[in-house]
Structure formats: structure tokens, C-alpha cells
Amino acid sequence: MAVKFFGQFLVEQGAVTSEALLHAIELQERTNLKLGEMAVAMGYITADDIERAHTSQLSKDMKLGDLLVDLGILTPSQLQEVIHRQKATHLYIGEALVKVGALTPEKLESYLAAFKVDQAPYVADRIELPDWLANQQLWETTVDMTYKMITRVLGIQFRPGKCQEVSRLSTNHMLAAMDLNGDAAARYLLSVSAGLQKTIAKAVLREDNVDQEPPEVLEDTVMEFVNIVCGNVVAKASQSGLSLDINPPITIHPALNGLPVPDSYRALLFPIHVSDDEVLELALFIKQ
């Protein structure tokens, strides 16, 4: 796969060893705190407060910090203090590699520049849609909401790939689909591999281990995530004057040759790069 993360790029270039990268990642994990974790560490909120905010976040398009203020859990000044502390202590993977002695600052700067050039053809800095697409604001909101919820609800780090028009979706462990109708008509599909299905289940069920959960429960959690995304999309659309209805989500297990795009539809694929071993894709089958 052409898309890669900076640490992977460095290993492939022979700049650092896999062992050094692992040490740097471990340092990152010890150092970097999420906003909620930092607020707890500073004594401003409790774990129960984070749980309450995360529950509200499922139906509100708000960052965790803004939501904590909206709920009266944090004051605006406390939020700014937390953000400042978080930024001041954040450690990027390149900086971590310098700290563990695997790279010099000069080599880090050089490899960062090379990495940006290497990845430019594959990674999207913003959501770009084809000119033929009607209701562009709606579909941009749909993609953006998916990205936001992957970050906020699932806690997954990812790199968005560039939009592609396709005639068939590649096969995967499962697809969760939801139909949108009204002022626009489309089918929203989320394609997930087996490992990511479990990651989604852990986040939705708020469990550390889902290995004993039956397949039906794991599938339900992916459909619930799709329901969360599309519910927020419908709410956003109504603010723009568009009326949309959504049908209950369904599960699709595509054949080995994938899922063809139906007649009278055009399909856009948005790759969501998470790791070499897992596949996560958003697709929109848009009615013409």
C-alpha cells in the first residue's frame, strides 16, 4: 500500500529500526494525554464526567472540550489551560525518535520533507469531490462527520485517502449500510475488516475485550456507529434546509468479487488508512 505513517516510512527507508520505533511509540503513549485525560490529571474533572460527555457527543457535533464547557463541567478558562498543557507536552513520533536517540534533529527535518513528497499523491489534506456531484455541501458534511466520529467515538488515528469514483466495492469482512432519502438519495456504506470491527465494538460497548461477543453483536456495533454518523448528518442537513430520512442500518457480506454499484447510482470511495493489516473505507452510492 502506498499510504503509510511516518514511522513506517522511516523503517522502510532504513532510517530507524523497528525496535527504535517501538521504543518511541511507547514514549509517546506515556507522554501524550487525550484532552479528557489531561483534564482529569489536572484535577478539573472525573472519569464519570468524561463518560457523561462522551454519551452526549454521540448526538452533538462538538469537540469534547467544547462539550465539557457546554455541560458546565469545565469553565472556558479551565478548557484553555488544559489545551495549553496538552499542546505543551505533546510529543510527535519524530520528536520521540530523537529523544530515544534513534534520529538527530537534522535527519528528522530531512526525512519529514521526504515523507511529505512521498505521500502527496495519496493522502487528502481536504475533502475533494467531483464536479458532477450535486448537493456537494451535504456529501462533504457526510464525509467530514464520518472522520469526526472515527476520531471522537472510536479514538482511531487515521489518514484520509483521496476520493475515487468506483464501479464496485472490494470485498471485506462486512459492510454496514444505511439509506438516505428525501431531498437527496444515497446509500451510505462503511466497509470494515475483522480487526476494526472489534475496535468499533470496544468503543461502542465500552469494553476492553470483545473476543467473547457473538458475531451478531459485533455487527450491531458497526451498524450503531453508522447510525450515529448518519443521524448527525441528517441533523446538520436540516440546518441547511435539506430534509432527509434514514432507514434502519443493515449488514452486507459482499461476495469475493465485491459489491457492484447498482444501476442509476454513482459511487464515491473514501479510503481511510489506519494500518497495513486493517481496511476501513467509506463509500457513498449516490442516486442519479
Side-chain angles (χ1 to χ4, degrees):
M1 182 178 65
V3 173
K4 53 182 73 79
F5 290 86
F6 186 46
Q8 176 192 0
F9 173 79
L10 290 172
V11 171
E12 291 180 358
Q13 293 293 309
V16 301
T17 64
S18 298
E19 292 76 14
L21 178 59
L22 181 59
H23 289 319
I25 292 172
E26 291 171 347
L27 176 59
Q28 263 194 312
E29 291 175 346
R30 294 195 302 270
T31 304
N32 295 345
L33 296 180
K34 296 178 181 178
L35 185 137
E37 294 170 337
M38 182 64 77
V40 171
M42 294 174 68
Y44 287 151
I45 65 174
T46 67
D48 287 342
D49 292 329
I50 296 177
E51 184 76 13
R52 176 184 166 198
H54 279 319
T55 299
S56 297
Q57 203 172 32
L58 299 180
S59 57
K60 289 187 177 181
D61 180 20
M62 296 177 69
K63 294 181 179 179
L64 179 63
D66 295 333
L67 192 52
L68 287 167
V69 172
D70 187 64
L71 293 171
I73 298 171
L74 277 180
T75 67
S77 62
Q78 286 174 331
L79 174 60
Q80 290 308 309
E81 289 179 35
V82 172
I83 293 173
H84 177 76
R85 177 77 64 85
Q86 191 183 31
K87 288 181 177 178
T89 59
H90 186 82
L91 194 64
Y92 291 98
I93 189 62
E95 297 169 332
L97 283 162
V98 172
K99 284 185 175 292
V100 301
L103 277 180
T104 64
E106 294 76 20
K107 286 187 176 180
L108 170 61
E109 185 176 346
S110 174
Y111 278 114
L112 274 172
F115 177 68
K116 290 178 181 178
V117 172
D118 180 81
Q119 292 297 286
Y122 311 108
V123 178
D125 293 327
R126 59 189 179 88
I127 299 168
E128 296 182 347
L129 301 173
D131 293 337
W132 57 260
L133 183 64
N135 297 305
Q136 293 225 355
Q137 182 180 354
L138 169 63
W139 305 124
E140 181 176 343
T141 296
T142 303
V143 177
D144 180 62
M145 187 63 67
T146 304
Y147 294 163
K148 286 178 178 177
M149 291 303 170
I150 289 173
T151 299
R152 297 173 186 174
V153 177
L154 305 183
I156 295 176
Q157 292 186 347
F158 67 94
R159 304 188 75 203
K162 292 187 176 181
C163 173
Q164 313 163 24
E165 184 171 4
V166 297
S167 60
R168 177 181 298 271
L169 294 189
S170 299
T171 192
N172 205 350
H173 182 66
M174 70 162 287
L175 299 171
M178 176 172 274
D179 292 330
L180 296 90
N181 298 290
D183 290 336
R187 169 163 281 191
Y188 176 104
L189 301 105
L190 194 69
S191 173
V192 303
S193 55
L196 281 169
Q197 184 189 55
K198 288 188 176 181
T199 299
I200 294 172
K202 289 176 184 178
V204 172
L205 298 176
R206 298 183 185 169
E207 298 286 347
D208 293 331
N209 190 306
V210 294
D211 290 342
Q212 303 305 314
E213 296 290 349
E216 296 81 7
V217 171
L218 299 179
E219 291 182 354
D220 283 348
T221 61
V222 181
M223 289 191 290
E224 175 58 22
F225 177 74
V226 167
N227 192 48
I228 291 168
V229 173
C230 291
N232 278 277
V233 169
V234 169
K236 281 282 188 180
S238 67
Q239 296 172 10
S240 302
L242 290 177
S243 177
L244 293 176
D245 296 317
I246 50 178
N247 294 336
I250 60 172
T251 298
I252 300 173
H253 291 283
L256 290 177
N257 63 346
L259 182 69
V261 178
D263 293 340
S264 76
Y265 284 79
R266 293 179 76 170
L268 298 179
L269 179 71
F270 299 86
I272 303 170
H273 304 288
V274 290
S275 74
D276 281 342
D277 300 326
E278 301 295 342
V279 177
L280 178 62
E281 295 177 330
L282 162 65
L284 297 173
F285 286 4
I286 300 170
K287 181 77 171 178
Q288 299 301 293

